[in-house]
Amino acid sequence: MALVMLKDIRKSFKVDEEELEILHGINLSVTKGEFLAMMGPSGSGKSTTMNLLGCLDKPSSGEYWLDGQNTSSLDSDALASIRNQMIGFVFQGFNLLPKTSALENVELPLIYAGMPQNERRKRAIEALELIGLSERLYHEPAQLSGGQQQRVAIARGIVNKAPILLADEPTGNLDSRTSDEIMDLFVKLNRELDITIILVTHEPDVAAYANRMIHFKDGRIISDERLNKS
């Protein structure tokens, strides 16, 4: 069974009293352990699709199946619960809390999940050690480089041990060397932890780290390519 399945997903927004359809029948199946890159120009529908995959929005029609559950008709509380259990997020702008240590930033999803302090502290330390920041636990974002801040954001995205990590332009604010380091880290997490990674990017060099690449255009998927990593 696919971990993620979109069936004839359509999404419309109201513009000047008219319904404007952004997604025109998206069908997509992603199995556990895949590393998928979504590409396309601005306005192609990839970011709207990412929001739907992250349960941050709901489709206008169609079905979104996540780990065997149809999420399309769930209310906001149920979607929030699924996000916390099933999905980690990494964003271009890091989205770290200022004046808050790396450790405390990583703990946040576990606080929302109601995990006891001792356990969440242990889990957060393990996540930061895994991504190579064991010596920066108590540093605030302003004391970290851009690459280190993104590593903290990745640790926060995996600390709840969710099976899916969604990354929206995660290297967009980084130089090319640091971008390569971050993408190598994504590959490590995908291979060693079997985390399913779905990445949005404009950069072909970044997308090339994935093992599958899909292209969006005008609200449709126009190509779906498996990349040979042998």
Side-chain angles (χ1 to χ4, degrees):
M1 180 185 295
L3 180 61
V4 167
M5 185 175 293
L6 301 180
K7 295 183 176 182
D8 195 26
I9 291 291
R10 297 177 183 272
K11 181 63 180 177
S12 299
F13 296 96
K14 183 168 287 189
V15 178
D16 296 330
E17 303 304 319
E18 293 186 7
E19 290 290 326
L20 178 64
E21 190 171 82
I22 304 298
L23 297 180
H24 312 298
I26 297 295
N27 291 286
L28 177 65
S29 178
V30 182
T31 58
K32 181 173 172 56
E34 283 198 87
F35 188 167
L36 170 69
M38 301 197 304
M39 299 191 70
S42 296
S44 62
K46 63 186 186 302
S47 294
T48 301
T49 301
M50 178 69 92
N51 286 338
L52 296 174
L53 291 171
C55 295
L56 299 170
D57 199 358
K58 296 199 294 185
S60 302
S61 65
E63 298 179 354
Y64 172 23
W65 290 79
L66 179 58
D67 197 27
Q69 181 177 12
N70 186 356
T71 70
S72 307
S73 59
L74 296 180
D75 63 24
S76 57
D77 288 341
L79 290 175
S81 178
I82 287 177
R83 282 198 302 272
N84 196 269
Q85 296 172 26
M86 293 290 299
I87 303 168
F89 296 89
V90 180
F91 302 98
Q92 178 176 345
F94 316 141
N95 290 7
L96 302 178
L97 295 179
K99 305 299 182 183
T100 305
S101 71
L103 187 57
E104 291 167 326
N105 267 287
V106 174
E107 283 185 289
L108 279 175
L110 305 181
I111 293 174
Y112 298 144
M115 183 175 290
Q117 181 178 7
N118 289 344
E119 177 63 19
R120 70 175 185 251
R121 180 61 50 98
K122 177 176 177 289
R123 290 265 292 267
I125 290 172
E126 289 174 350
L128 285 162
E129 288 175 344
L130 182 64
I131 52 84
L133 282 184
S134 58
E135 298 180 355
R136 297 288 189 271
L137 300 181
Y138 301 101
H139 286 61
E140 296 176 1
Q143 299 171 307
L144 301 171
S145 68
Q148 289 170 337
Q149 290 184 58
Q150 192 59 296
R151 284 175 180 268
V152 173
I154 293 170
R156 182 185 57 197
I158 65 172
V159 73
N160 61 353
K161 298 185 179 180
I164 300 170
L165 186 63
L166 301 182
D168 191 358
E169 298 283 0
T171 62
N173 289 339
L174 305 175
D175 60 55
S176 57
R177 180 182 64 81
T178 307
S179 174
D180 289 342
E181 292 174 356
I182 292 299
M183 293 310 302
D184 285 338
L185 178 57
F186 279 122
V187 171
K188 174 184 176 180
L189 295 174
N190 174 247
R191 291 178 177 174
E192 296 183 8
L193 300 185
D194 202 29
I195 295 175
T196 302
I197 298 176
I198 302 177
L199 168 83
V200 164
T201 182
H202 285 93
E203 301 294 333
D205 290 348
V206 170
Y209 282 85
N211 53 40
R212 181 182 173 192
M213 188 186 308
I214 65 175
H215 282 83
F216 283 77
K217 184 177 180 181
D218 298 332
R220 294 179 172 85
I221 293 175
I222 60 170
S223 68
D224 186 342
E225 176 186 5
R226 303 280 177 171
L227 304 180
N228 185 358
K229 294 297 182 177
S230 60

